[in-house]
Amino acid sequence: MSLSSPRPGILNIKPYKPGSSEAPGAAEIHKLSSNESALGASPGAMAAYKASGEALFLYPEGSAAALREKLGETYGLDPARIVCGAGSDELLQLLSRGYLGPGDNIVQSAHGFLVYAIAAMACGAEPRFAPEKNLTANVDAMLEMVDENTRIVFIANPNNPTGSYLPDAEIRRLREELRDDVLLVVDAAYAEYMDEADYNAGEKLVEECENVVMTRTFSKIYGLAALRLGWAYCPAAVADVLNRIRGPFNVSAGAQIAGVAALEDQDFVERNRAHNREERDYLQQQLGGLGLEFAPSYGNFILVKFPDEPGLAADDIHAYLKENGVIVREMGGYGLPQYLRVTIGPKAGNRKFIALLEKKFSRD
Ligand SMILES: *Cc1c(COP(=O)(O)O)cnc(C)c1O
């Protein structure tokens, strides 16, 4: 007898393709493919993680209590309504598992983060993609996709890979016009990079409504991607659901300890934010100077469009950059095959990226 088939829908999932980290033959590698922190991790977080190695035999504290306390203190939130996960990825999966089943659907925007669709399909639910305008989520188009079987609307704000964001007023309008029994999940993985006065990561809405969840991560500005650490701020009833279905020790001890230390080093976060602001300006200016179109970015990455010309198309440039040690992200999976996404990295990587593009696109 052979193994039975997986549940319907599972084999329709296209596996998530992480940013590559290999560039065979290149002398020096600049990995600008996964939106990792440009400044590494806080020295305090690294020291705390190393020290945690002395207690590898002990199970972690199951509810990540100390980390939730620290998050509450840092962001002015109620620790009882925070749930931590092995990356915000795990929380997106758990939210799906808690609220979706066969026959249900989710709505996300056309070029929104792909993990939502994967998480939905893993539960037998159908992902629906609402068209965007100017590579920006469109609230009206998202609302139009909602029907009686919609259970969750996912939105990344700012969005990866487009780099665009919706002001608080638009997120609120989306919430107001959705049925009360549809959960709105605001994925604010890049919230710390935002300076815009009309932006809110979503915590206020979580506190005002019973049907909004905000997810956050330590993988980006905090520089702890390797540890897999994220958190969700939830209405009490949603936190209860997540706490029932998560693994009892879903966040490792090292991640919890490093997370607390990372939160204590807000100077590091500020340096990373300032670096990103400066280097984003530099990159956008240079790209513009080379006549390349890009989506103005609010995150730590830029989506760049390449011409439909042999040798200069996104695929060609991707291969050319890689041969020369600069790894960026291909966008075919996001329905944006003419684009590449480049992470705003350390100065050296950003300059190498521009120098390589100059050889192909310089107009003088
Ligand atoms: C990087 C990213 C995350 C973070 O995922 P982790 O699992 O926390 O590493 C979540 N959402 C979006 C949109 C991202 O780009």
Side-chain angles (χ1 to χ4, degrees), residues 138-319:
N138 183 276
V139 167
D140 295 307
M142 292 179 85
L143 288 166
E144 246 170 68
M145 291 267 157
V146 172
D147 70 7
E148 69 277 11
N149 296 319
T150 305
R151 296 281 165 260
I152 306 182
V153 171
F154 284 100
I155 186 158
N157 198 31
N159 183 54
N160 167 24
T162 54
S164 57
Y165 82 102
L166 292 185
D168 192 36
E170 275 296 277
I171 298 286
R172 283 172 183 273
R173 185 166 76 83
L174 174 60
R175 179 61 275 173
E176 273 161 29
E177 298 193 18
L178 277 174
R179 279 195 334 270
D180 285 349
D181 65 334
V182 176
L183 187 64
L184 174 63
V185 177
V186 181
D187 172 355
Y190 301 94
E192 295 85 357
Y193 291 103
M194 290 294 292
D195 291 316
E196 280 51 39
D198 62 357
Y199 173 80
N200 183 265
E203 67 270 16
K204 286 194 209 141
L205 212 49
V206 172
E207 287 178 349
E208 291 165 26
C209 310
E210 287 180 348
N211 42 22
V212 178
V213 170
M214 169 184 74
T215 59
R216 303 283 286 264
T217 184
F218 281 88
S219 300
K220 307 289 157 59
I221 210 164
Y222 284 102
L224 302 183
L227 291 183
R228 313 306 304 123
L229 185 59
W231 53 286
Y233 194 47
C234 312
V238 178
D240 178 53
V241 167
L242 296 180
N243 281 322
R244 284 169 198 264
I245 62 178
R246 68 177 173 80
F249 307 104
N250 63 326
V251 181
S252 74
Q256 294 184 34
I257 287 169
V260 169
L263 288 167
E264 280 167 353
D265 193 353
Q266 290 296 319
D267 284 352
F268 172 81
V269 175
E270 187 45 50
R271 282 200 301 282
N272 222 350
R273 182 168 27 242
H275 170 90
N276 193 66
R277 211 182 288 134
E278 259 172 50
E279 289 296 294
R280 188 169 56 198
D281 285 351
Y282 162 80
L283 285 169
Q284 294 190 155
Q285 203 169 18
Q286 297 295 313
L287 290 166
L290 293 173
L292 288 164
E293 258 182 71
F294 58 88
S297 172
Y298 294 89
N300 68 337
F301 54 88
I302 304 174
L303 187 66
V304 189
K305 190 173 188 185
F306 290 89
D308 252 341
E309 283 171 44
L312 299 179
D315 279 355
D316 303 313
I317 297 298
H318 179 262

Side-chain angles (χ1 to χ4, degrees), residues 6-148:
R7 288 189 294 107
I10 301 286
L11 296 181
N12 297 331
I13 295 175
K14 260 198 229 145
Y16 185 85
K17 211 174 143 212
S20 159
S21 51
E22 279 163 32
E28 198 183 60
I29 291 181
H30 302 277
K31 182 173 187 263
L32 305 178
S33 58
S34 299
N35 300 347
E36 290 140 332
S37 158
L39 302 186
S42 149
M46 290 192 282
Y49 180 71
K50 271 187 203 148
S52 77
E54 297 294 330
L56 283 184
F57 64 102
L58 291 173
Y59 275 107
E61 198 284 311
S63 79
L67 177 59
R68 289 186 298 106
E69 275 304 314
K70 195 78 203 172
L71 282 166
E73 191 187 301
T74 306
Y75 291 105
L77 306 175
D78 174 9
R81 294 164 58 176
I82 296 173
V83 179
C84 296
S88 46
D89 221 86
E90 185 191 21
L91 296 159
L92 299 168
Q93 306 279 351
L94 288 173
L95 285 163
S96 299
R97 235 207 283 164
Y99 291 91
L100 300 174
D104 295 338
N105 68 62
I106 66 148
V107 171
Q108 67 167 100
S109 71
H111 307 299
F113 194 43
L114 276 174
V115 166
Y116 317 140
I118 294 174
M121 290 171 80
C123 300
E126 174 209 351
R128 297 186 163 190
F129 296 89
E132 300 187 0
K133 265 189 198 152
N134 297 326
L135 296 174
T136 305
N138 183 276
V139 167
D140 295 307
M142 292 179 85
L143 288 166
E144 246 170 68
M145 291 267 157
V146 172
D147 70 7
E148 69 277 11

